[in-house]
């Protein structure tokens, strides 16, 4: 929605933005849950255990590609589909297939993380050369400031998020799952990094729908133009 507001160059109103936000989230949840429920009968009678590994790759793609044409949250559709599948999966997927799927994703996750770091290393020199709106030192300062802000927000959520749950849920099983603040600190420091920034960067528009260059705030001044290379 933020990208559409920038590229369309139309005034935004709180009522319309809030309604679009709700529609995007609700639509993503509905589509993700529907995809997961539709695939449960397929998971009951697979031709072989390897089929579950293939289906575990195709399911999130199907949820995302079903949500995006409807202009709802594809990311939330994938998350919801995964939660629903996890909830009903053990009832319809055999133990041999689950073991194979876990082993498959351990290898796939390692390969994807390795490819991600290689991709970032390859793109970094080109990104530095194409940087024209501000100096390299200013870009490094802005990146450090953004990183510190992300660390602060992540630490606040991880460290303070369990407090309302502990206040409202006092069941014995919930108490058994509690961990102390020092145990949560490494998780707060690690945060959510890796593929998020490289995946979000290509979605940032360089021009509007009318062809105007998008302006961005920089550390040296209030506004500057973003210059993109082909």
């Amino acid at each position: 929605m933020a990208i559409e507001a920038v590229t369309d160059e139309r005034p935004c109103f709180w009522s319309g933005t809030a309604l679009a936000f709700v529609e995007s989230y609700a639509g993503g949840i509905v589509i993700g849950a529907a995809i997961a429920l539709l695939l449960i009968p397929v998971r009951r009678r697979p031709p072989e255990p390897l089929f579950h590994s293939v289906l575990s790759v195709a399911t999130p793609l199907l949820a995302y590609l079903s949500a995006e044409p409807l202009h709802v949250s594809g990311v939330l559709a994938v998350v919801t589909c995964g939660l629903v599948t996890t909830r009903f999966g053990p009832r319809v997927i055999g133990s041999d297939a689950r073991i194979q799927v876990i082993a498959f994703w351990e290898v796939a996750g390692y390969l994807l993380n390795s490819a991600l770091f290689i991709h970032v290393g390859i793109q970094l020199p080109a990104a530095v050369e194409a940087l024209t709106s501000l100096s390299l030192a200013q870009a490094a300062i802005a990146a450090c400031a953004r990183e510190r802000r992300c660390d602060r927000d992540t630490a606040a959520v991880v460290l303070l998020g369990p407090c309302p749950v502990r206040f409202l849920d006092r069941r014995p099983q919930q108490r058994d799952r509690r961990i102390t603040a020092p145990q949560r600190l490494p998780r707060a420091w690690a945060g959510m990094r890796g593929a998020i920034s490289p995946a979000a960067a290509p979605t940032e528009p360089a021009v509007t729908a009318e062809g105007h260059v998008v302006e961005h705030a920089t550390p040296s001044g209030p506004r500057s133009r973003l210059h993109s290379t082909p």
Side-chain angles (χ1 to χ4, degrees):
M1 290 184 294
I3 293 176
E4 291 179 357
V6 172
T7 56
D8 291 344
E9 293 186 332
R10 292 181 297 181
C12 297
F13 301 96
W14 282 108
S15 58
T17 302
L19 180 60
F21 185 83
V22 173
E23 290 178 351
S24 177
Y25 268 59
I29 292 174
V30 171
I31 291 177
I35 295 296
L37 294 175
L38 288 174
L39 291 178
I40 287 178
V42 180
R43 295 178 181 272
R44 291 184 183 275
R45 287 180 287 272
E48 56 183 10
L50 185 61
F51 176 79
H52 287 287
S53 298
V54 178
L55 195 60
S56 67
V57 178
T59 299
L61 292 176
L62 181 60
Y64 185 86
L65 296 177
S66 300
E68 284 298 311
L70 300 178
H71 302 287
V72 297
S73 177
V75 175
L76 197 58
V78 173
V79 173
T80 305
C81 184
L83 292 175
V84 176
T85 302
T86 303
R87 178 68 176 83
F88 294 98
R91 302 180 183 180
V92 297
I93 302 176
S95 59
D96 55 343
R98 290 201 302 271
I99 293 174
Q100 190 174 58
V101 170
I102 292 173
F104 165 78
W105 278 110
E106 286 181 353
V107 176
Y110 181 83
L111 294 177
L112 290 173
N113 283 325
S114 301
L116 172 65
F117 281 100
I118 294 174
H119 172 73
V120 172
I122 293 174
Q123 293 295 323
L124 185 59
V128 172
E129 292 179 0
L131 187 63
T132 59
S133 58
L134 66 168
S135 66
L136 180 60
Q138 291 174 329
I141 293 173
C144 292
R146 180 67 61 88
E147 180 67 17
R148 288 181 59 86
R149 180 178 179 181
C150 292
D151 290 340
R152 180 196 63 192
D153 296 342
T154 303
V157 172
V158 174
L159 295 177
L160 302 179
C163 295
V165 178
R166 294 184 177 184
F167 178 77
L168 297 174
D169 190 354
R170 298 182 178 274
R171 295 175 299 170
Q173 55 268 36
Q174 198 279 335
R175 293 176 180 269
D176 295 336
R177 292 193 296 266
R178 293 180 181 179
I179 59 177
T180 62
Q183 292 173 315
R184 295 196 301 270
L185 186 60
R187 185 180 303 175
W189 173 253
M192 295 180 61
R193 296 180 177 87
I196 295 179
S197 297
T203 64
E204 187 175 351
V207 295
T208 64
E210 285 74 19
H212 301 152
V213 178
V214 177
E215 295 182 349
H216 293 262
T218 64
S220 60
R223 310 289 290 181
S224 69
R225 292 187 178 276
L226 175 66
H227 300 278
S228 60
T229 56

